[in-house]
Amino acid sequence: MGTLADQRRFIATNRNRNENRSERAVPDTIETLIKRNLHEVFGERDARKRREAITQLWTEDCVFIDHSGKSHGRDELDRAVAVLHQRLPGYVFSELRPVDLLHESGRLAWSYGRPGQETIKGVDVVLVRDGRISLMLTFLDEVPAKL
């Protein structure tokens, strides 16, 4: 991009696209899905509540991929989250930035840790099918040396 005026036009055009995108019903649903998933699935320690949220938010044939491996289906997803809670008791998820949306997909940057301590930081990228999460990829950006 050449001139400052060209750069400003580019920024204004993309800002308008993002604002228009957030007005549509589907992206709002995707934003809600991603946030609810962070807090009601991955942040929920009560197994019954977490399982109810998984049923509401995830497809039956869902796939979850992170650095620990690949989980197929709701049962394996639930087990993966339970293992996370057992491994890191007392950790809490926080949203770092607003959800970034694309067609039938989105991403959410988060942190995970104990209040007042160094946190793990990462990003969830989801694909949505029929109003539910069908695939989630979790990337870790920062992991404290002491875990």
Side-chain angles (χ1 to χ4, degrees):
M1 283 181 244
T3 68
L4 184 59
D6 290 337
Q7 292 174 1
R8 286 185 177 145
R9 259 193 305 280
F10 177 80
I11 291 168
T13 300
N14 284 318
R15 183 180 302 130
N16 290 339
R17 284 183 189 154
N18 287 336
E19 287 169 1
N20 291 339
R21 187 181 301 140
S22 67
E23 291 172 8
R24 288 185 256 145
V26 173
D28 288 343
T29 300
I30 293 170
E31 180 176 4
T32 300
L33 280 172
I34 295 172
K35 288 181 174 187
R36 285 187 63 200
N37 178 65
L38 183 69
H39 300 291
E40 297 175 29
V41 175
F42 282 82
E44 182 57 63
R45 293 186 180 278
D46 181 289
R48 185 187 56 75
K49 289 179 183 177
R50 182 175 61 243
R51 185 62 194 194
E52 287 174 11
I54 289 171
T55 300
Q56 291 174 9
L57 303 175
W58 289 77
T59 62
E60 286 187 46
D61 62 343
C62 64
V63 176
F64 166 61
I65 301 171
D66 71 355
H67 293 276
S68 298
K70 190 177 199 177
S71 302
H72 295 271
R74 292 173 177 163
D75 290 338
E76 286 186 19
L77 171 63
D78 187 41
R79 281 193 290 277
V81 176
V83 167
L84 176 68
H85 289 302
Q86 290 170 357
R87 187 168 166 244
L88 301 169
Y91 278 48
V92 177
F93 278 100
S94 298
E95 299 169 29
L96 292 178
R97 289 185 290 283
V99 174
D100 188 19
L101 299 170
L102 291 174
H103 180 74
E104 298 297 322
S105 63
R107 68 179 176 174
L108 176 61
W110 47 261
S111 66
Y112 187 56
R114 289 188 176 117
Q117 294 184 0
E118 197 173 4
T119 61
I120 300 168
K121 292 181 181 166
V123 175
D124 291 338
V125 178
V126 303
L127 293 178
V128 175
R129 185 178 75 236
D130 300 326
R132 290 194 170 125
I133 298 169
S134 60
L135 170 68
M136 186 167 93
L137 308 169
T138 295
F139 296 90
L140 300 180
D141 296 327
E142 295 178 26
V143 179
K146 289 184 177 184
L147 257 188

